[in-house]
Structures are given as structure tokens and as C-alpha cells.
Amino acid sequence: MQLSFPAIDPVLTGQNIVRLRKQRGLTVKDLQTWFHFEEPRAIYKWQKGQTLPNIDNLYALSALLGVTMDQIIVGRGANTAGPQEDACGPASFIGRTRPAARPVSAGASPRSPCPCTAPRAACHGPAPRRAMPRACGRICA
């Protein structure tokens, strides 16, 4: 059995930080105040996946967002299942290419209500900028 070395995906982690921040109704300015940063530049870099928060800031961010550090970090590779699933939705999408959306049946629009039982926010967070495939393969707005 060959294990792959675990690594953090900074872009997906940044997207997760944005999603968790918005779910809590927080702004970048709120995070800037929480961390006592003079400028919000570091927070924007985290959100864009250009850098990751250091361990102290990650711990403080998890306390502010009300989640564990594992629920903020998104791994890349095969060993990504675990606590992230609660924060990010099904682990089958974490750090992997999303499957192509299934064709929409006749008479249904690609943005029609999704048959998934999971709430939309559990998969994609509130109000994504673009439609994304859900666990069922449908594209939901």
C-alpha cells in the first residue's frame, strides 16, 4: 500500500475560508479587526490561496469561525476524508477534479431545484459567484 504525502491545497483552503466567513456573516474588515491587522492584505492573500495563515492565526481563525482547524484546511490528494467533510461537503470533491454535470432531464432547467438531500449551503456556501456541480452532478445556482 502506497500512501501519498499529505499536502494543503492553498486555493481550496482560501475558498473554504471565504465560505466559512460568509456563513458567519463576517466581513474582511471584521477579520482585520479580530487579528489587529493594520491592512487586510494578509486576509485577501489567504482567501486567494496566495498564502496560508500561520498556525497561531489559523487557531484564532478557527475560534472566530466556530470550527476546528481541520474544518478550515482543505487537503490535496488521496488522504483528504475526515473532519473536512462536515465543513466542505462530500470529501469526494475535496482536492479532486469535479465530475462533469449530468445532463438535465427534459423540461427541467439546469438551475431547477436540486434533488440532493443536503442543503445547498453545505455543498457550496451561500451565494456562489458561479453555478457549481453538487454531489448529485446537477448544476445549481
Side-chain angles (χ1 to χ4, degrees):
M1 177 173 155
Q2 180 152 355
L3 296 174
S4 62
F5 188 79
I8 297 171
D9 187 316
V11 174
L12 291 178
T13 298
Q15 290 171 358
N16 200 30
I17 290 171
V18 171
R19 184 184 60 76
L20 291 168
R21 175 181 60 79
K22 288 180 178 180
Q23 275 184 346
R24 301 314 183 274
L26 298 171
T27 65
V28 171
K29 181 72 173 168
D30 294 331
L31 268 65
Q32 178 184 349
T33 302
W34 173 256
F35 286 105
H36 303 288
F37 291 163
E38 290 183 25
E39 306 244 346
R41 188 175 313 140
I43 297 163
Y44 286 116
K45 285 183 175 183
W46 299 345
Q47 293 183 155
K48 292 179 182 178
Q50 294 173 349
T51 63
L52 290 168
N54 66 31
I55 193 71
D56 292 327
N57 288 339
L58 184 62
Y59 185 71
L61 183 62
S62 72
L64 177 65
L65 298 175
V67 297
T68 65
M69 292 191 299
D70 282 349
Q71 291 173 313
I72 295 172
I73 297 168
V74 179
R76 133 180 6 151
N79 299 334
T80 58
Q84 299 174 55
E85 192 161 333
D86 296 333
C88 303
S92 60
F93 289 141
I94 298 172
R96 296 184 181 93
T97 306
R98 295 182 185 267
R102 293 182 192 145
V104 178
S105 59
S109 125
R111 298 190 188 275
S112 63
C114 185
C116 283
T117 56
R120 188 183 144 294
C123 290
H124 307 298
R129 292 183 186 208
R130 58 184 170 79
M132 297 181 71
R134 300 241 341 218
C136 67
R138 299 270 314 263
I139 298 202
C140 299

